[in-house]
Amino acid sequence: MHRHTVLFNLKDDSNSEDVINKLRELEKLPTVEAMVIEKNIVPIGEHSPYEWCLVGDFEDLEARDSYEKHEIHVDIIKGTFLPNVKDFIMSDINF
């Protein structure tokens, strides 16, 4: 299995409901085994600076690569994620 994790903060002027609903469309892409996009329940602070978390599971790295190149993913990242996100970090692991 391959896990893709993105922690992020939205810009202050972003409509969080619209952005998160659009990101949830990624769950339907063919190589996604499971995906969760939720607000962080740990209070935002020095050791927990990100408000939102996306975790996606894929069969393997090849499936994740296919997801990255999928037209819907590219459109959502370029059209919704990047214009509305203040900052983010990513981590990928195999397990």
Side-chain angles (χ1 to χ4, degrees), residues 5 17-18 21 26 37 40 42-43 46 52 61-62 67 69 71 81 85-86 88:
T5 303
E17 185 176 346
D18 288 348
N21 285 339
L26 296 171
I37 305 167
N40 186 356
V42 176
E46 178 183 355
W52 290 95
L61 182 56
E62 183 177 289
Y67 160 85
K69 296 172 187 170
E71 179 181 334
F81 184 79
V85 167
K86 182 176 9 181
F88 69 97

Side-chain angles (χ1 to χ4, degrees), residues 35-89:
M35 184 172 283
V36 175
I37 305 167
E38 293 296 334
K39 201 169 200 177
N40 186 356
I41 61 172
V42 176
I44 302 302
E46 178 183 355
H47 298 292
S48 181
Y50 295 98
E51 184 175 20
W52 290 95
C53 181
L54 177 153
V55 178
D57 288 340
F58 303 86
E59 183 177 342
D60 52 27
L61 182 56
E62 183 177 289
R64 200 275 198 180
D65 287 344
S66 177
Y67 160 85
E68 285 289 318
K69 296 172 187 170
H70 195 285
E71 179 181 334
I72 292 172
H73 177 268
V74 172
D75 288 347
I76 290 173
I77 296 306
K78 287 183 178 180
T80 301
F81 184 79
L82 292 176
N84 288 288
V85 167
K86 182 176 9 181
D87 52 1
F88 69 97
I89 60 170

